Amino acid sequence: MKKLAVLALGLTILYAAADTFPSRPITIVVPFAAGGPTDRTARDLAEALRKPLGGVSVLVDNVAGAGGSIGTNKVAKAVPDGYSLLLHHIGMATMPTLVRNIAFKVESDFEYVGMVSDVPMTLIGRPTLPAKNFKDLTAWISQNKGKVKLGNAGVGSASHLCGLLIQNALQADMTTVPYKGTAPAMTDLIGGQIDLMCDQTTNTSSHIEAKKVIGYAVTTSKPLTTASLKGLPTLNDSGIKGFEVVIWHGLYAPKGTPPEVVVKLNTALRTALNDADFIKKQEGLGAIVITDKRLDNAEHKKFVAAEIARWSPIIKAAGVYAD
Ligand code: ASP
């Protein structure tokens, strides 16, 4: 009885607060290190969300580690009042298969606010690698069996998935080096401490353009038209038939966030994704801002469920999951 009364009181407070939402700063948790591509998307989005959310501050909190699961779990367990949100990528769909023991349930622990962007990946190498194109790279990898260091953002991350699929396709056994995000991995790649990495174009475009890293290929089925990535072949055209990995990003709130709050967040998200400055920044880095039905909460959830169904057999068949 007592428990029920407390629960009823809690719900009354949450629902009353929904009327005035938002009245204080909102925090978007990014489950990777600052300066990386997920962080970049979140920071551009936070800026674009401020106005449609009535001018409240939208802060970004990097809760990095364990391939994204620490930050994701933090939001799954946060107070469901709309002030704690999660910006995450394809890991929401691949983590349940890539990582055997995760502390949250993607399908039932979150409200799906709407999707944000689709972002291609690129395979990149340290600037001092002797291989100047993908064909040379495959030869260099087979000459250096067991010695190639492949960076990623931890087990369950997008770079982990992409790197594992490439290793699998090339039958190459590389030493993976995990970081708390691909920003610190990029620093080490530029410095030559690691050899290769797969990452979103939102992190790699400027470094490829500045020749700080070598761009070998894009992971989309068609070549990209963004200025800095125009000349890069697809992995599919380079010999890994059927290879296609596109990283999508979405916004989430903890399960139980009042429906009126989710509607307010979704409306603000739609306005933010129409912001000319946001579109210019993101598209200049190769991202495609979502304009289709995946902006709808239910469609977002359906899409993630379909992605789980799509990736799970691929990951299992490739035998690339890990503890
Ligand atoms: N790109 C990273 C990943 O591989 C995450 C990040 O640092 O944004 O999942």
Side-chain angles (χ1 to χ4, degrees):
M1 189 64 188
K2 241 187 194 167
K3 246 190 191 169
L4 273 180
V6 171
L7 186 69
L9 180 69
L11 283 177
T12 313
I13 293 169
L14 270 184
Y15 278 81
D19 284 348
T20 52
F21 179 85
S23 56
R24 58 184 170 85
I26 291 173
T27 299
I28 300 179
V29 168
V30 169
F32 298 103
T38 315
D39 180 67
R40 179 72 195 246
T41 303
R43 284 179 198 270
D44 287 352
L45 182 67
E47 212 177 306
L49 275 173
R50 191 187 172 105
K51 216 164 146 196
L53 283 172
V56 296
S57 303
V58 183
L59 312 167
V60 172
D61 184 16
N62 299 88
V63 184
S69 22
I70 295 175
T72 308
N73 192 38
K74 184 175 180 187
V75 178
K77 310 283 187 298
V79 178
D81 56 8
Y83 291 98
S84 298
L85 305 176
L86 170 74
L87 190 290
H88 202 354
H89 59 34
I90 192 172
M92 286 296 265
T94 56
M95 253 191 309
T97 319
L98 275 173
V99 188
R100 270 182 271 230
N101 298 309
I102 49 173
F104 53 87
K105 292 190 182 66
V106 169
E107 276 149 316
S108 56
D109 284 351
F110 298 94
E111 304 293 345
Y112 290 62
V113 177
M115 292 190 57
V116 177
S117 59
D118 286 321
V119 185
M121 289 193 114
T122 40
L123 175 64
I124 54 175
R126 65 172 156 85
T128 47
L129 269 188
K132 296 299 168 224
N133 54 43
F134 185 75
K135 194 166 162 268
D136 293 353
L137 180 68
T138 52
W140 180 82
I141 290 170
S142 48
Q143 284 153 17
N144 286 279
K145 272 202 175 84
K147 289 190 220 149
V148 180
K149 291 192 206 112
L150 175 71
N152 68 30
V155 172
S157 64
S159 44
H160 176 231
L161 171 77
C162 180
L164 285 173
L165 293 173
I166 291 176
Q167 284 186 81
N168 201 57
L170 296 179
Q171 306 259 297
D173 210 0
M174 303 182 198
T175 303
T176 49
V177 185
Y179 294 82
K180 286 191 170 182
T182 41
M186 181 66 88
T187 305
D188 275 9
L189 187 73
I190 293 170
Q193 282 85 11
I194 55 172
D195 300 306
L196 292 171
M197 182 167 72
C198 229
D199 203 18
Q200 286 108 303
T201 60
T202 32
N203 193 30
T204 63
S205 308
S206 60
H207 297 304
I208 293 173
E209 200 167 21
K211 302 207 174 352
K212 284 189 179 166
V213 295
I214 303 172
Y216 288 109
V218 294
T219 63
T220 40
S221 58
K222 292 200 182 101
L224 300 174
T225 52
T226 324
S228 52
L229 305 165
K230 229 188 228 161
L232 291 185
T234 65
L235 282 170
N236 179 54
D237 291 342
S238 306
I240 308 186
K241 285 283 157 247
F243 194 101
E244 188 181 9
V245 180
V246 174
I247 306 308
W248 41 265
H249 299 81
L251 194 62
Y252 306 82
K255 186 79 191 167
T257 303
E260 308 89 285
V261 170
V262 178
V263 169
K264 280 185 184 174
L265 288 167
N266 179 266
T267 307
L269 177 65
R270 287 169 189 266
T271 308
L273 298 192
N274 264 308
D275 182 288
D277 198 40
F278 176 78
I279 296 172
K280 195 172 159 211
K281 281 192 218 156
Q282 285 288 304
E283 297 201 342
L285 297 170
I288 301 136
V289 176
I290 304 286
T291 52
D292 57 43
K293 61 181 185 181
R294 290 173 297 162
L295 273 175
D296 183 76
N297 317 98
E299 292 294 335
H300 178 190
K301 187 165 187 178
K302 238 196 242 170
F303 178 79
V304 175
E307 284 281 283
I308 292 174
R310 174 183 164 212
W311 282 104
S312 166
I314 297 173
I315 293 166
K316 282 182 184 154
V320 293
Y321 51 86
D323 287 308

